[in-house]
Amino acid sequence: MLAELKIWLLLLSFLVVSSNMQLHVQAVPQVPCFFIFGDSLVDNGNNNGLPTKAVSNYPPYGIDLPQGPTGRFSNGLTMVDILAQILGFDKYIPPFANLASSDILLGVNYASAAAGIREESGSHLGVRISLDKQLVNHGITFSRITESLGSKDSATQHLNKCLYYVGMGSNDYINNYYMPQNYSTSQNYTSEQYAEALITQYGNQIKTLHSYGARKVAIFGVGPIGCTPFAITSHGTNGSLCVDTINLDAQLFNKKLVSLVDQLNKELTDAKFIYVDILGIGSGDPSLAGFKVANVGCCPVDEIGQCICSKTPCQNRSEYTFWDSFHPTEAANKISAARSYQNFLKTDTYPMDISHLIKL
Ligand SMILES: *[C@@H]1O[C@H](CO)[C@@H](O)[C@H](O)[C@H]1NC(C)=O
Ligand SMILES: *[C@@H]1O[C@H](CO)[C@@H](O)[C@H](O)[C@H]1NC(C)=O
Ligand SMILES: *[C@@H]1O[C@H](CO)[C@@H](O)[C@H](O)[C@H]1NC(C)=O
Ligand SMILES: *[C@@H]1O[C@H](CO)[C@@H](O)[C@H](O)[C@H]1NC(C)=O
């Protein structure tokens, strides 16, 4: 297992290096376009102008990026930035908020920190772009592409060829279900009922995305939200590495998500949906992948778990899995991106990885 992992890490370096090389030779990307629906794990600036505490366009966020803070919740690149590199794009997919200056035919990033499947999730932090609103924004993109290509048919044909990243659900737990003082969901639903309600709503939202022409959709499950430094400090782990009860809820949600993927593949036979097991990818022994610190973040944090403005973070960022109390470092994002693109363990993705999805 250890030897296998070392081999894989070599492959990973190769993958990342070769994708950097593609930035220079400007190879044609493996897909013509890439659209992103999500939360703070992949937000790249959509919250910057919004009245909310869930913003990150201040130092030390972005400390390892040439352009500095951008609204990414990491020291460096997010998972979708790295996926865009691996796919051969010569720039990152721009945020919807900056659309005026960008080429929408290549894709748009709609992700918004604190956003959820449910409309109200994250509302105690301020304004956020829920998944329903992200889909409304995609409708605007659809109209613009229709205008640009001349007809709805050509817009749909173009959108058929793109890859779609969809990753929601964390905030429906962290910034909703686990905050009984601000949200009533935990009074109204058991864990089982809540997961079921979320998946029903999510399924309808993904069908809306399909109605706009999405045919290659990678759905990322909820990650190990019981292992975040915030969960560990606020709940305690009772001797475990993580807060097991929280990870059990994430597992419950993900299990139902896998069934949803099966159901979507059965119902919508002109499209393919895959599941990415971010919970599994983020579990296991982090030291095997070269990490030394997994239970605390790299930057000093405020009461909501975000980096305190201009406080000096740790030096060895590649040795930390967490950057602040919720969000992975670029080093951890690289591993998630690489394993979603190309399986390391068979269980990383279902029923296939992104490299196979885009070849269909
Ligand atoms: C959330 O709950 C806390 C604790 O009861 C309260 O102080 C705070 O005002 C609430 N926030 C909102 C936006 O309702
Ligand atoms: C919970 O139930 C109460 C009473 O039926 C209702 O007023 C409230 O809107 C419900 N909350 C949620 C989040 O469904
Ligand atoms: C803590 O762990 C012990 C031993 O596994 C278990 O008996 C106990 O119920 C746990 N307590 C909580 C609060 O989870
Ligand atoms: C960074 O890592 C190096 C090598 O592992 C170690 O010698 C050094 O003490 C670390 N620095 C900090 C600030 O942790």
Side-chain angles (χ1 to χ4, degrees):
M1 179 67 191
L2 193 62
E4 205 183 332
L5 202 122
K6 280 187 178 145
I7 290 167
W8 176 78
L9 284 174
L10 278 175
L11 281 173
L12 173 64
S13 329
F14 173 74
L15 207 70
V16 172
V17 169
S18 60
S19 65
N20 285 339
M21 275 159 50
Q22 282 171 4
L23 289 178
H24 298 296
V25 298
Q26 299 209 316
V28 177
Q30 298 169 41
V31 280
C33 33
F34 182 23
F35 287 88
I36 295 140
F37 297 82
D39 53 28
S40 57
L41 291 172
V42 294
D43 187 348
N44 62 346
N46 285 307
N47 275 24
N48 290 353
L50 300 181
T52 171
K53 288 183 187 164
V55 288
S56 65
N57 53 341
Y58 59 85
Y61 286 101
I63 188 169
D64 294 318
L65 294 175
Q67 65 272 46
T70 56
R72 287 171 171 82
F73 288 75
S74 185
N75 58 306
L77 300 175
T78 67
M79 208 162 38
V80 295
D81 293 327
I82 298 157
L83 271 173
Q85 278 186 347
I86 294 173
L87 292 166
F89 285 91
D90 64 5
K91 53 183 191 201
Y92 307 121
I93 304 304
F96 182 76
N98 298 0
L99 211 56
S101 61
S102 69
D103 183 358
I104 54 170
L105 291 177
L106 291 177
V108 177
N109 182 337
Y110 303 100
S112 169
I117 294 166
R118 292 176 69 92
E119 190 60 33
E120 82 274 12
S121 296
S123 56
H124 72 287
L125 295 168
V127 175
R128 69 271 155 237
I129 310 160
S130 65
L131 182 51
D132 281 337
K133 295 217 176 81
Q134 293 182 31
L135 288 164
V136 169
N137 288 341
H138 190 52
I140 296 171
T141 299
F142 185 88
S143 304
R144 289 183 184 164
I145 292 181
T146 301
E147 228 168 84
S148 148
L149 297 181
S151 74
K152 273 192 174 179
D153 276 355
S154 17
T156 305
Q157 274 165 30
H158 178 73
L159 289 168
N160 285 171
K161 295 183 227 144
C162 311
L163 172 67
Y164 295 80
Y165 167 105
V166 184
M168 290 302 250
S170 299
N171 289 311
D172 298 292
Y173 287 95
I174 296 168
N175 287 312
N176 186 331
Y177 198 65
Y178 297 143
M179 295 199 128
Q181 44 322 356
N182 298 96
Y183 302 90
S184 56
T185 44
S186 62
Q187 284 141 260
N188 296 17
Y189 298 102
T190 63
S191 286
E192 168 73 30
Q193 290 166 340
Y194 191 57
E196 193 63 39
L198 285 176
I199 292 296
T200 302
Q201 192 171 352
Y202 206 13
N204 291 330
Q205 290 161 332
I206 293 166
K207 283 179 189 164
T208 301
L209 178 60
H210 174 266
S211 75
Y212 284 120
R215 294 295 178 268
K216 297 172 178 188
V217 185
I219 307 171
F220 284 61
V222 167
I225 51 176
C227 300
T228 64
F230 191 88
I232 291 172
T233 355
S234 57
H235 289 76
T237 61
N238 191 24
S240 271
L241 275 177
C242 302
V243 186
D244 297 333
T245 52
I246 296 184
N247 279 346
L248 282 175
D249 283 344
Q251 269 168 23
L252 193 59
F253 174 87
N254 288 341
K255 211 175 141 212
K256 291 178 189 289
L257 188 54
V258 172
S259 307
L260 176 65
V261 163
D262 276 335
Q263 187 198 324
L264 291 168
N265 281 325
K266 228 175 265 162
E267 277 178 33
L268 306 170
T269 49
D270 59 356
K272 196 76 188 178
F273 301 85
I274 68 163
Y275 165 77
V276 179
D277 183 20
I278 287 295
L279 182 67
I281 292 172
S283 303
D285 183 353
S287 71
L288 290 181
F291 293 108
K292 292 187 177 153
V293 186
N295 59 347
V296 294
C298 166
C299 68
V301 293
D302 60 17
E303 74 289 350
I304 61 166
Q306 292 181 189
C307 300
I308 298 172
C309 187
S310 297
K311 281 258 171 112
T312 308
C314 70
Q315 290 291 317
N316 291 351
R317 293 182 279 278
S318 61
E319 295 176 356
Y320 283 68
T321 53
F322 283 98
W323 162 244
D324 60 14
S325 291
F326 288 109
H327 305 103
T329 53
E330 175 181 292
N333 283 333
K334 273 186 182 162
I335 293 186
S336 304
R339 286 174 68 170
S340 68
Y341 179 76
Q342 203 161 75
N343 272 353
F344 169 54
L345 298 179
K346 206 162 172 273
T347 51
D348 285 350
T349 62
Y350 172 84
M352 67 185 78
D353 60 24
I354 292 175
S355 75
H356 288 90
L357 175 68
I358 59 177
K359 283 190 197 113
L360 292 180

